[in-house]
Amino acid sequence: MRKGMKSVLIVGFVVAVMMTFAGCKRKEFDAAGYVKATLDMTMKGEAEDYIKFVGCSKEEALKDYEDTLDEAVEQFGEFGVNEEALEEFRQFSIDLYKAVKYEVKEAQKEKDGSYMVKVETEKMNVFAGAMEKFEEAAESYVEEIVAAALEGGEQLTDEKMAQDLYGKVIALFKESLASATYQEPTTVEVKVSQDDDGVWEIPDKDFEVLELSLIDIDAME
């Protein structure tokens, strides 16, 4: 009797486990949710939903976010910018990406198991106007430096001029961001697929297209 009951319990347990795994397999991957979580993490440093998809801790996700910011600041620092200007640029970058506008729409599953996710974006106008003003300010600045030199004034070092010019460009970026306008909404499609290890990801080229649809970065070229 006990043996029979034990067999029933084992069979019941196996069936329950199989049903659990079957249920997991039937559950559709939330590609749209993944794209939104990735955007929220990358653009705004919001980790809550992102960590549910990638399985890392909040601390790890935020560290990646901070490391990405540090890399951007480090690249800017290659121009010989001082620490104060670097910190201003870092904060500007944080504020810039937090101001982007997007809305993740539906996801369409493809035959190969990947997904195409539609994202509605409103391109933010920040750099075009700022760079135009900077060119004018830089031209005026150089004219002042040349005029001062001709009159026997102080000879500025290249480092000093670089600091002055980068100070001006950061100030103009911040001013432009404070009064930024947005273009009409457009729809961008991004692919979500699994790599060889079964990890879901967005291809770099798709993310770059998405980023260009959010901010007028092309105005910097």
Side-chain angles (χ1 to χ4, degrees), residues 19-79:
M19 289 181 66
T20 299
F21 277 104
C24 290
K25 289 181 180 178
R26 284 197 298 268
K27 187 177 181 181
E28 195 74 25
F29 177 69
D30 183 9
Y34 170 76
V35 171
K36 184 180 185 305
T38 301
L39 280 170
D40 289 347
M41 180 70 250
T42 307
M43 301 293 168
K44 304 178 181 180
E46 297 176 358
E48 285 73 16
D49 292 332
Y50 179 74
I51 60 177
K52 297 174 185 176
F53 283 98
V54 300
C56 69
S57 68
K58 184 176 181 179
E59 290 72 22
E60 290 172 323
L62 291 176
K63 184 179 183 304
D64 287 342
Y65 172 75
E66 294 292 335
D67 287 346
T68 302
L69 280 173
D70 290 341
E71 287 177 12
V73 172
E74 185 177 337
Q75 290 176 357
F76 192 68
E78 292 176 357
F79 298 102

Side-chain angles (χ1 to χ4, degrees), residues 54 60 76 86 107 131 134 137 139 141 166 168 179 203-204 207:
V54 300
E60 290 172 323
F76 192 68
L86 288 177
M131 291 307 296
F134 174 69
E139 184 178 344
Y141 175 78
Y166 281 109
K168 290 179 184 294
S179 58
D204 289 343
F207 206 89

